[in-house]
Amino acid sequence: MEIISKAMLYGFLKVAQSYKKSFEKDLECAAQKNDQLLMEIIKKNAGTAYGKKYDFQSIDSPQKFKKTVPLTQYEDYKEYIERMAKGEENVLTSEKVEYFGVSSGTTGNQKLIPVTKSSRKAISRYMGLLTQGVLYENLSNKWTYGRGLNLIGMRGSGKTEGGIPICAGTAGGMKSMEKIFTYIWTTPVEVLKQGEKFDVNYLHLLFALMDRNLMYLSAAFIPSILDLLRCLESKWADLVEDIREGKISQKILLSDDLRNKLQKKIKPNPKRAEELEREFKIGMEGIVTRIWPKCAFIWSVSGAGFKMYLEKVKKYTLDLPIYCGTYAATEGLIGVELGLNKATYVAAPKSVYYEFIHEDDWEAENITTYNLEELRVGEKYEVVITNNAGFYRYRLGDVVKVVGYCGKTPEFEFLYRKNQLISIIAEKTSEQAVHQAITETFKHLGIELIDYTVVADIDISPGRYVFFVEVNNIEKLDKNKAEKILESKLGIANPRYEQFRKSMKIGHVSLELVKPGTFDSLKVLLVSKGASRNQVKIPRVVNRDDLVSFLKSNTYSAEVKSYIKIS
């Protein structure tokens, strides 16, 4: 199998390198390529219900498109999507809907996003081909054509009334690759198809540890990599024993059928077990490249609010490069990272049609949108897309900052989602500002911050920010001192917050300390309520009553709080 795997990956890489060269040419004429894409989409969908409503037949330029079709949000499509879910065709798109992708479900009600063959391919070409070309260009001296450990599953969530499959966007894309899984990833397809009823990380690790030549670790978001490595740290002894004896621990609850299928793929390997045990006994510092000496990179989104997780991952990986790959949503691929350790993305002119709204115009009555070549470096914009699956001038809600140009194509950094702003009166503190304030506070205190989220408490007057935080060394925390520092840091991160604090229109910030494991349990709760395991992440601003109640129920009791120093 190893020979077949290497041959397949070699051929795949050759195609990827060719695709990267083509992409680089597109960057020199991005606006032209993007306009061409728009006109293809309009022509293809002129006969749909939506196309007839807005007279797509008469649209002969991007300028007329903007004048004819309004800016939209998800609510504008709900009635159309309900019709499509029942099986009606030619509603938003002339193409057949392959499946409905679901949003992560982290911050609110899940959305059903139609995915067609062309919209899926528009994403997969960039995610599968271009990213491989970028990685090889940066890591050619370490390239081994080895397999990777992939944490993204492919379990569906059922079907609509009309029989159309529903699944996470990442899972939907995975299904098209099922036949080659064995040759590119170590985890058996049987595991990737399972739900959330067992310790899937243990199985990911078991099969990956048996492959000494593992080339990379991959997950949608860096917190999943951290969860995996923490599982490795706590359960390495059981994993080593299973590899030594060629079995799966009975501590892992599996159906008899699944256990039997997986057991056939495992053989005793005392030599590998001995090698692993020796490395684990040395410690977990830099363990990844000690147990997988050919591991060349981690492939996972790690920018914006994920930076605190990345710092914790480095305990296990040291200087192993991080590749964010792509900036994408279920609705479409927005950008591609063209280097390592950057977490910035170049727009992909043939993926979606782009428009951008400058931050000064977000609430304006008559909104002006800007095209790819019209963006100014250093400015912030909301992303608007028209995709291949029936969304037109769709306000994605993502805010990006333009950091430069690659050829004639903007390169940007993802900052935050607009619905992740917290605001008591009108100060509008962004997720980015919240992250900056809380992480700098605990860095100043010298106390490790495990995780956090914030709630706008308007049950008292004036309203205030309440931070729920999980920390190590809680006995060292001076709560009042921490709140004073956090107050100061919030004022620096958002001067409008400081302005309203001085006028007493916002109350003093409050810290609520939660019990160990609370945020891990919060992720489990989110998954149980429909969030995708592949995409679940801690919301930095919480406004759902069920999540607020959960957090409050996991704060320390008055008895435990008695040993926390109150100045």
Side-chain angles (χ1 to χ4, degrees), residues 436-447 481-483 485-487 489-490 511:
Q436 176 184 322
I438 193 71
T439 54
E440 287 185 1
T441 295
F442 281 91
K443 185 176 181 180
H444 179 91
L445 292 167
I447 294 174
K481 179 181 177 181
E483 288 176 345
I485 296 172
L486 179 55
E487 189 85 292
K489 298 294 185 182
L490 282 168
L511 274 179

Side-chain angles (χ1 to χ4, degrees), residues 140-164:
S140 57
N141 61 328
K142 296 182 179 180
W143 207 262
T144 62
Y145 302 98
R147 294 187 298 169
L149 192 174
N150 166 52
L151 299 182
I152 300 175
M154 56 183 292
R155 185 176 175 82
S157 305
K159 293 185 176 181
T160 68
E161 184 180 339
I164 301 172

Side-chain angles (χ1 to χ4, degrees), residues 44-53 56 90-94 392:
K44 180 174 65 177
N45 296 303
T48 64
Y50 198 87
K52 290 176 180 178
K53 179 177 180 179
F56 280 12
N90 224 32
V91 179
L92 288 172
T93 171
S94 61
Y392 307 93

Side-chain angles (χ1 to χ4, degrees), residues 334-461:
I334 314 303
V336 180
E337 183 181 33
L338 294 185
L340 302 178
N341 301 316
K342 293 179 68 178
T344 60
Y345 306 88
V346 175
K350 292 182 180 178
S351 173
V352 296
Y353 178 71
Y354 296 91
E355 297 175 64
F356 298 87
I357 305 173
H358 191 272
E359 63 176 330
D360 292 341
D361 293 337
W362 290 343
E363 309 301 331
E365 280 191 33
N366 298 309
I367 295 175
T368 299
T369 64
Y370 298 90
N371 295 335
L372 286 174
E373 77 277 14
E374 298 175 323
L375 306 186
R376 297 193 300 271
V377 175
E379 299 292 307
K380 298 175 185 176
Y381 300 87
E382 178 185 354
V383 180
V384 178
I385 65 170
T386 296
N387 68 11
N388 278 282
F391 279 12
Y392 307 93
R393 306 198 74 202
Y394 178 74
R395 297 182 69 165
L396 199 58
D398 287 5
V399 177
V400 299
K401 178 181 178 180
V402 180
V403 298
Y405 271 80
C406 189
K408 295 182 179 180
T409 309
E411 181 175 4
F412 35 70
E413 174 190 5
F414 170 80
L415 296 181
Y416 57 87
R417 289 190 60 79
K418 286 177 65 183
N419 65 1
Q420 284 284 277
L421 288 169
I422 182 169
S423 195
I424 297 293
I425 187 164
E427 74 282 8
K428 297 181 180 177
T429 305
S430 70
E431 176 185 346
Q432 183 187 33
V434 165
H435 178 75
Q436 176 184 322
I438 193 71
T439 54
E440 287 185 1
T441 295
F442 281 91
K443 185 176 181 180
H444 179 91
L445 292 167
I447 294 174
E448 182 186 4
L449 177 65
I450 302 299
D451 224 323
Y452 73 93
T453 194
V454 63
V455 172
D457 180 9
I458 55 174
D459 290 334
I460 62 172
S461 187

Side-chain angles (χ1 to χ4, degrees), residues 43-228:
K43 182 179 180 180
K44 180 174 65 177
N45 296 303
T48 64
Y50 198 87
K52 290 176 180 178
K53 179 177 180 179
Y54 291 104
D55 195 17
F56 280 12
Q57 192 71 42
S58 71
I59 295 174
D60 56 8
S61 68
Q63 292 73 28
K64 189 166 184 180
F65 172 68
K66 292 182 182 182
K67 290 179 180 178
T68 306
V69 180
L71 289 165
T72 61
Q73 295 179 314
Y74 184 77
E75 294 299 315
D76 298 307
Y77 296 98
K78 288 187 71 174
E79 181 183 335
Y80 295 101
I81 288 174
E82 287 172 4
R83 290 163 58 183
M84 295 164 75
K86 291 177 181 177
E88 185 177 346
E89 296 183 355
N90 224 32
V91 179
L92 288 172
T93 171
S94 61
E95 286 189 78
K96 182 179 179 180
V97 176
E98 286 193 343
Y99 63 90
F100 283 102
V102 289
S103 58
S104 65
T106 299
T107 57
N109 294 328
Q110 286 188 323
K111 303 171 184 176
L112 290 182
I113 313 295
V115 177
T116 64
K117 183 177 181 179
S118 61
S119 70
R120 173 176 56 78
K121 284 189 172 182
I123 294 177
S124 62
R125 281 194 298 265
Y126 289 106
M127 294 187 76
L129 292 172
L130 179 56
T131 52
Q132 287 290 326
V134 172
L135 281 165
Y136 182 76
E137 184 177 271
N138 285 272
L139 297 167
S140 57
N141 61 328
K142 296 182 179 180
W143 207 262
T144 62
Y145 302 98
R147 294 187 298 169
L149 192 174
N150 166 52
L151 299 182
I152 300 175
M154 56 183 292
R155 185 176 175 82
S157 305
K159 293 185 176 181
T160 68
E161 184 180 339
I164 301 172
I166 300 172
C167 56
T170 47
M174 292 271 289
K175 288 180 183 293
S176 64
M177 302 169 57
E178 183 175 343
K179 292 182 180 179
I180 63 171
F181 281 176
T182 302
Y183 302 106
I184 59 176
W185 295 318
T186 53
T187 303
V189 66
E190 293 89 348
V191 175
L192 296 174
K193 285 184 174 181
Q194 295 301 308
E196 322 299 337
K197 296 181 180 179
F198 60 91
D199 190 348
V200 68
N201 276 340
Y202 188 94
L203 294 179
H204 280 306
L205 287 166
L206 178 61
F207 285 92
L209 287 170
M210 290 189 286
D211 187 344
R212 191 176 187 275
N213 297 321
L214 193 82
M215 186 177 166
Y216 62 92
L217 308 178
S218 174
F221 303 114
I222 201 70
S224 297
I225 297 290
L226 180 59
D227 289 344
L228 177 86

